[in-house]
Amino acid sequence: MYISIKKLLKEGKLAQEVTLKGWVRTFRSNRFIALNDGSCLENVQVVVDFEHTDEALLRRITTGAAVEVEGTVVESQGKGQAIEVQAAKLKVLGDSNPEEYPIQPKKHSLEFLRENAHLRVRTNAFGAIMRVRSTLAYAIHKYFQENGFFYVNTPIITGSDAEGAGEMFRVTALDAKNPPLTETGEVDFKKDFFGRETNLTVSGQLEGETFAMALGKIYTFGPTFRAENSNTSRHLAEFWMIEPEVAFLDLAGNMDLAEDFIKYVLKYTLETCRADIEFLNQRFLDEEKTKPQNERSTMNLIEKIEFVIHNNFKRVSYTEAIDILKNCNHNKKKKFQYLIDEWGADLQSEHERYLVEKHFQCPVILFDYPAKIKAFYMRLNEDGKTVRAMDILFPGIGEIVGGSQREERYDVLLQKVHDLGIKEEDLWWYLDLRRFGTAVHSGFGLGFERLVLFTTGMTNIRDVIPYPRTPQNAEF
Ligand code: 4AD
Ligand code: MG
């Protein structure tokens, strides 16, 4: 019976005949194969009867080779595992030249593994990260599906700039060397594939809103693209975003939803991926040991996840946050790169992390930001200068969620569009929502990779997505 290692370790019985297929991690003493098939973190030990096995075959059992084993489940003689498989038949399905195979059974640097991203998922750490990522994605769908939300696939190619930040990748079928020109000598996008300028989406929110205003509660979960030249450990040019949108929901309800949702997916994933997260926890602790004492985290990875699950997020207005930052010693001693001196300043990640890690020491929801530093679609407050925005800030990550109550008043939204010089004709359909059956509604966007970063204890966003897209890098 062909069986996965995960199933074998869970349900395998002594004396059972099994067939395993996987990749050799190590082969010791011409006798013990540590076999991994990716179904779980654990390897299974396969014991080869080397006295009755062809020399030439033994030589082909090398790290990285794909093998098929038929054998019997027996009690393990060695320590570290309860059972092992006594091989009766062994076949090398795909050889792996040990002189050339990059992933050797030793510690490789994360940089080296990034250069070998097609093979890095065969290591314990990346196997664990990618299984955790998959489980988080499942938990996200499960949460929304069980709570009456409909999954909506918003377009990847679009004509609008949802965030109004101008950080878009152009999509075109024109000949770059010889594009058609208008009479005034500009590129004539009327002759392009879609008859207009188009780009890859930066967010599915605007289209998501149209569906929320019909189906009530929706969510998107798809790739988004940003041509922002931020070469940081928190930014990708291609990342996955989850964007729920809910009709008749105000900002306070939006915060409740975001908090409940995050706690649920963390709890589900911690329970489901216990072994992987325990492995990553150990990895996290080993990394911490390389840091000076005063920079080490007071909690280990599992404690950090549990802390988020069991504690209320602290809700703080932007104005309160600015007061805290302005008066903190860190600011007074000029230790921030960007000093906070007045209301209206945009918060940098150093400020967000100060609030979360030093001041409150728990996840924080900042709300009611100055209108000037937020996107055009956010609901203007009665004070005329702040909007009903909310950002959720996480320890070690900074901003993990950005959201808001949406401006539902036609006149106010139109004025904003005009003031910002956004082309009204690109957003006619979005404005229509405010003309036909408008209502209070809210939503947010969760950056999926930032959630995976938090859950795995990794520190660079390039290590939690299979093939990172960053400035100057689109290998694979
Ligand atoms: O704050 P952002 O830009 O908000 C929006 O796009 C809204 N349309 C969301 C909404 O209200 N429906 O992005 C949302 C989240 C951020 O909080 C962050 O977690 C993540 O997306 N994010 C990125 N993640 C990785 N790389 C980048 N370059 C990211 N930019 C944003
Ligand atoms: Mg944001």
Side-chain angles (χ1 to χ4, degrees):
M1 185 179 67
Y2 176 32
I3 185 173
S4 71
I5 291 175
K6 182 177 182 177
K7 202 156 179 214
L8 172 68
L9 294 179
K10 209 168 148 204
E11 299 164 11
K13 306 250 170 351
L14 293 180
Q16 190 183 347
E17 304 283 321
V18 293
T19 301
L20 301 174
K21 297 179 196 187
W23 295 270
V24 176
R25 283 290 174 84
T26 56
F27 185 40
R28 293 190 287 119
S29 317
N30 245 355
R31 197 150 181 209
F32 303 107
I33 303 176
L35 189 71
N36 188 283
D37 68 0
S39 59
C40 60
L41 180 75
E42 288 81 13
N43 302 326
V44 106
Q45 176 154 288
V46 174
V47 185
V48 181
D49 178 7
F50 66 99
E51 280 163 346
H52 298 99
T53 307
D54 185 21
E55 240 347 271
L57 180 62
L58 287 175
R59 272 199 301 273
R60 292 173 60 204
I61 306 171
T62 57
T63 298
V67 298
E68 178 177 335
V69 178
E70 279 174 46
T72 314
V73 179
V74 296
E75 210 171 311
S76 180
Q77 303 302 309
K79 53 179 183 341
Q81 70 263 329
I83 55 160
E84 60 193 24
V85 170
Q86 186 73 51
K89 244 197 221 168
L90 194 123
K91 202 154 77 183
V92 174
L93 303 173
D95 293 275
S96 174
N97 182 343
E99 307 287 302
E100 290 173 18
Y101 184 57
I103 310 294
Q104 291 301 318
K106 61 164 195 173
K107 194 171 157 56
H108 292 291
S109 75
L110 291 171
E111 291 77 14
F112 173 83
L113 290 170
R114 259 172 238 149
E115 286 162 16
N116 290 282
H118 60 310
L119 299 171
R120 69 176 175 174
V121 67
R122 296 192 194 180
T123 64
N124 281 333
F126 282 88
I129 293 165
M130 293 307 158
R131 281 186 297 268
V132 168
R133 184 180 163 109
S134 168
T135 302
L136 282 168
Y138 178 69
I140 287 164
H141 281 292
K142 193 164 149 62
Y143 177 84
F144 287 124
Q145 295 287 334
E146 286 173 3
N147 284 285
F149 287 71
F150 298 102
Y151 178 39
V152 178
N153 302 115
T154 49
I156 309 282
I157 300 175
T158 166
S160 58
D161 177 5
E163 292 302 299
E167 292 166 335
M168 296 164 306
F169 289 101
R170 159 90 26 93
V171 174
T172 177
L174 294 178
D175 178 358
K177 289 202 189 94
N178 187 23
L181 300 178
T182 60
E183 278 171 9
T184 51
E186 276 139 35
V187 176
D188 188 0
F189 287 103
K190 286 214 175 64
K191 302 225 170 75
D192 202 348
F193 188 91
F194 297 106
R196 59 178 299 165
E197 287 185 57
T198 49
N199 48 269
L200 293 177
T201 186
V202 295
S203 156
Q205 179 196 319
L206 305 192
E207 293 89 350
E209 281 183 52
T210 66
F211 268 58
M213 295 311 281
L215 301 179
K217 302 206 273 186
I218 65 97
Y219 70 106
T220 72
F221 189 165
T224 45
F225 307 86
R226 296 197 185 174
E228 54 188 334
N229 210 351
S230 323
N231 226 332
T232 78
S233 57
R234 310 270 179 273
H235 288 88
L236 290 164
E238 176 181 296
F239 64 98
W240 288 66
M241 186 155 49
I242 297 96
E243 296 187 278
E245 191 71 33
V246 183
F248 317 114
L249 188 75
D250 64 9
L251 186 65
N254 202 25
M255 295 191 220
D256 295 340
L257 172 65
E259 187 169 340
D260 188 54
F261 160 64
I262 291 175
K263 286 176 172 170
Y264 174 89
V265 299
L266 288 178
K267 186 164 183 284
Y268 180 86
T269 305
L270 185 57
E271 284 164 7
T272 309
C273 296
R274 192 75 204 191
D276 284 321
I277 295 179
E278 269 166 16
F279 174 84
L280 292 166
N281 188 43
Q282 195 50 54
R283 192 191 170 282
F284 175 85
L285 289 173
D286 293 344
E287 287 292 305
E288 286 291 300
K289 277 190 210 136
T290 66
K291 295 183 187 165
Q293 195 81 43
N294 63 338
E295 283 172 28
R296 290 185 201 166
S297 167
T298 53
M299 285 183 242
N300 70 30
L301 174 61
I302 293 178
E303 288 164 343
K304 284 190 343 168
I305 298 171
E306 283 174 343
F307 184 88
V308 172
I309 296 172
H310 298 299
N311 287 280
N312 291 336
F313 296 6
K314 180 88 186 153
R315 300 182 186 192
V316 187
S317 74
Y318 167 89
T319 304
E320 288 170 75
I322 284 291
D323 279 341
I324 292 166
L325 289 168
K326 204 160 66 182
N327 298 318
C328 74
N329 277 334
H330 215 74
N331 197 51
K332 287 181 179 153
K333 288 185 184 153
K334 301 199 187 325
K335 282 194 190 153
F336 286 131
Q337 197 186 342
Y338 296 90
L339 296 179
I340 296 285
D341 46 25
E342 59 184 297
W343 193 92
D346 202 355
L347 299 184
Q348 306 295 327
S349 91
E350 56 177 344
H351 308 126
E352 297 175 339
R353 294 184 61 172
Y354 179 87
L355 288 170
V356 174
E357 288 158 29
K358 296 270 165 9
H359 190 85
F360 290 110
Q361 299 187 329
C362 73
V364 172
I365 312 185
L366 285 188
F367 61 92
D368 284 352
Y369 280 75
K372 281 213 176 79
I373 59 171
K374 286 292 179 185
F376 73 96
Y377 49 70
M378 297 188 182
R379 176 63 156 79
L380 191 64
N381 274 315
E382 276 58 52
D383 62 13
K385 59 175 192 172
T386 60
V387 286
R388 284 180 205 168
M390 63 144 191
D391 277 6
I392 302 186
L393 314 178
F394 255 44
I397 307 287
E399 180 190 336
I400 193 162
V401 161
S404 68
Q405 185 177 319
R406 318 307 188 189
E407 183 55 77
E408 82 284 12
R409 298 164 300 179
Y410 181 76
D411 299 343
V412 182
L413 185 61
L414 188 65
Q415 187 62 48
K416 195 74 171 279
V417 165
H418 284 160
D419 291 350
L420 291 174
I422 300 169
K423 283 194 216 144
E424 195 184 323
E425 61 268 29
D426 286 350
L427 286 179
W428 64 273
W429 51 272
Y430 187 68
L431 289 159
D432 259 7
L433 283 188
R434 280 74 183 167
R435 294 174 60 218
F436 308 118
T438 193
V440 164
H441 62 288
S442 302
F444 62 85
L446 169 81
F448 187 48
E449 284 73 23
R450 293 195 186 172
L451 179 69
V452 185
L453 264 184
F454 179 75
T455 317
T456 57
M458 300 301 290
T459 49
N460 193 318
I461 202 162
R462 293 166 179 79
D463 297 327
V464 298
I465 187 166
Y467 297 104
R469 299 291 177 247
T470 51
Q472 300 300 311
N473 174 41
E475 190 68 39
F476 305 102

